[in-house]
Amino acid sequence: MLHSLSTSSADFIESINRPVVVLSKEYARGHHTGLHIHERTQFLFATQGTMRARTQYGSWIVPPAYGLLIPGGMEHEVEMLEEVSLRSAYIQPAVMPEACLRTCRVIQVPLLLSACIDRFASRPLEYDNDDIAGNLAAIIIKEIATIPPSAMALPFPATPKFQAMTDAMLNNPSIPKSIDDWAFELGMSRRSFTRAFRQDTGLTFDQWRQRLRFQAAAQLIASGQPLSRIAPKVGYTSAAALKAMMNRLN
């Protein structure tokens, strides 16, 4: 029997003195968690459905076969873009590498990790660390810690003038303005703009816009719209061009 998130709370999760706790819940399309915090590192993985998560630092689309790692203590919110069958692993920070405790990241979930999480969800919450559940917990921790992140993160800039620009693009991903257009609008040279934007977000402007459009397209795909209708909404002239971009990033 899978343990349900509906009976959980931050205190309940923390009261279980085990390195890994896995809970599950079914969510309806459109469900929104609101901003909240966990002391433990959280790994969100949906066996069905697509989610979108946000923090003050960025936005992440999490489709099936992918998972999102959220460091403990980081305020976040999650929106269900479809009906979602969720597995949520709460991991004690002390057993995770330091690199996993700094920022959110999306990883592609291999069959081994998926199977271990699903099997673990049916074990007693206060399991014996020396039995099969303890072995499953060790595999889950190792897998999450060592799988490289995917290219689905959309980091938000900290610079106010860049924030105004990216907010406009979040509201309308099809905006056709070029680097030169934005640099002129912000009173910067092209060189200063590109250097400062990369320092602020860790991405080039073109990389950031591609990820934005990927996320916007993924959200519309989850709503059931065809690529032919989605493409112009996210700045592409054809469904083929949009599909090629998404295949490159996926």
Side-chain angles (χ1 to χ4, degrees):
M1 178 179 179
L2 300 182
H3 303 293
S4 173
L5 274 168
S6 63
T7 61
S8 72
S9 67
D11 290 341
F12 169 70
I13 294 165
E14 290 304 320
S15 72
I16 301 171
N17 187 24
R18 297 293 185 274
V20 178
V21 176
V22 174
L23 303 175
S24 65
K25 187 173 182 180
E26 306 300 310
Y27 285 98
R29 178 198 297 267
H31 178 84
H32 195 283
T33 65
L35 288 169
H36 63 287
I37 294 175
H38 306 288
E39 289 186 34
R40 290 182 180 231
T41 295
Q42 184 181 17
F43 183 70
L44 293 174
F45 166 58
T47 58
Q48 173 186 311
T50 299
M51 303 174 282
R52 181 171 189 163
R54 285 177 179 264
T55 73
Q56 68 181 97
Y57 305 107
S59 172
W60 294 263
I61 287 288
V62 191
Y66 286 83
L68 175 65
L69 186 68
I70 306 171
M74 182 175 289
E75 191 175 48
H76 61 282
E77 58 185 344
V78 182
E79 179 186 2
M80 310 306 167
L81 305 181
E82 302 174 280
E83 291 185 356
V84 170
S85 181
L86 183 67
R87 306 290 181 267
S88 191
Y90 299 89
I91 306 169
Q92 291 177 338
V95 303
M96 294 295 290
E98 181 65 28
C100 295
L101 306 177
R102 298 176 190 147
T103 186
C104 294
R105 60 176 180 167
V106 173
I107 64 171
Q108 192 163 11
V109 178
L111 290 176
L112 174 61
L113 179 56
S114 174
C116 286
I117 290 174
D118 223 31
R119 178 79 181 276
F120 191 90
S122 65
R123 306 297 296 183
L125 292 175
E126 295 187 334
Y127 54 86
D128 185 344
N129 282 315
D130 294 325
D131 73 4
I132 188 171
N135 294 331
L136 290 171
I139 294 171
I140 290 169
I141 293 166
K142 183 72 171 179
E143 286 284 289
I144 292 173
T146 56
I147 297 170
S150 77
M152 290 191 184
L154 187 68
F156 294 155
T159 306
K161 58 185 174 183
F162 286 149
Q163 288 175 354
M165 176 191 73
T166 55
D167 283 349
M169 295 171 69
L170 284 163
N171 288 329
N172 181 9
S174 67
I175 291 176
K177 291 180 182 177
S178 66
I179 291 176
D180 291 324
D181 293 332
W182 283 115
F184 177 79
E185 189 168 311
L186 298 179
M188 304 172 72
S189 69
R190 178 188 175 93
R191 183 177 179 182
S192 295
F193 175 95
T194 56
R195 183 174 62 247
F197 189 82
R198 186 160 195 166
Q199 287 176 343
D200 200 347
T201 64
L203 300 172
T204 67
F205 175 79
D206 286 338
Q207 288 172 332
W208 193 94
R209 182 164 59 184
Q210 274 195 341
R211 293 192 187 189
L212 165 67
R213 289 174 169 176
F214 179 101
Q215 291 200 5
Q219 186 165 354
L220 294 171
I221 289 170
S223 72
Q225 296 186 40
L227 286 182
S228 58
R229 288 183 58 192
I230 294 171
K233 294 179 180 180
V234 297
Y236 285 86
T237 56
S238 69
L242 172 59
K243 185 176 182 180
M245 179 276 290
M246 297 188 76
N247 287 338
R248 286 196 301 273
L249 291 186
N250 200 349

